[in-house]
Amino acid sequence: MNITDLLVGLEAQHAEATARAGELRNQIEHLTAALAETEVRLADLATTQKVIAELAPAGDEPEPPETSTAYQAIVNAFNQHPEQEFRARELHEFLGMPTDEASVNVTRARLGRLTRQGFLTQPGRGRYQKRT
């Protein structure tokens, strides 16, 4: 290899490195602008959170009584009849709750949550029983 070929090769590498450096500078500019926008958004969110916290009443608000009462009624039914299996609709009938599909679906979700929490088991599809 002669010196001319070596210089041509070095020139090509220099051009590639220069182009890559330009690309990286452009990326840095873009990321710097995006970072600045995100930091402004974070500051806005922190301010909003602070204002809402100051305006909100002090203390933790309890769950709405309707939800707590419904859960308590379900738990009480399973505690009173630990060996009995219930379907959601049967549980509604047992507790004297409305048996429309929307209400029963809410109870199905509650039963699923109680199952995931370990209070209930599912001995069959759609059937729930107190875990013993």
Side-chain angles (χ1 to χ4, degrees):
M1 178 179 277
N2 64 32
I3 298 223
T4 305
D5 292 338
L6 183 61
L7 290 174
V8 169
L10 287 174
E11 184 71 30
Q13 289 181 16
H14 185 269
E16 287 177 24
T18 301
R20 180 69 178 138
E23 292 171 3
L24 291 173
R25 282 188 198 95
N26 288 337
Q27 287 180 1
I28 289 171
E29 289 173 13
H30 173 74
L31 290 173
T32 301
L35 177 60
E37 290 174 13
T38 302
E39 287 176 338
V40 167
R41 178 74 176 141
L42 283 171
D44 290 346
L45 290 171
T47 301
T48 302
Q49 186 178 16
K50 182 178 178 182
V51 168
I52 290 173
E54 289 173 359
L55 295 175
D60 292 334
E61 294 182 19
E63 284 188 32
E66 184 178 309
T67 304
S68 298
T69 303
Y71 270 108
Q72 193 59 50
I74 292 169
V75 168
N76 287 343
F78 281 103
N79 283 337
Q80 291 170 0
H81 305 281
E83 300 301 319
Q84 186 172 347
E85 295 178 9
F86 287 102
R87 290 188 173 278
R89 187 169 303 282
E90 295 168 351
L91 188 62
H92 268 245
E93 291 168 357
F94 178 79
L95 295 173
M97 298 168 75
T99 56
D100 61 283
E101 196 61 30
S103 297
V104 174
N105 282 338
V106 170
T107 296
R108 280 189 187 101
R110 289 178 176 143
L111 292 170
R113 195 169 297 119
L114 289 168
T115 301
R116 287 189 299 278
Q117 291 172 349
F119 180 76
L120 301 177
T121 61
Q122 263 190 299
R125 186 167 188 252
R127 298 193 149 300
Y128 299 89
Q129 185 177 23
K130 182 176 180 179
R131 184 178 299 270
T132 53

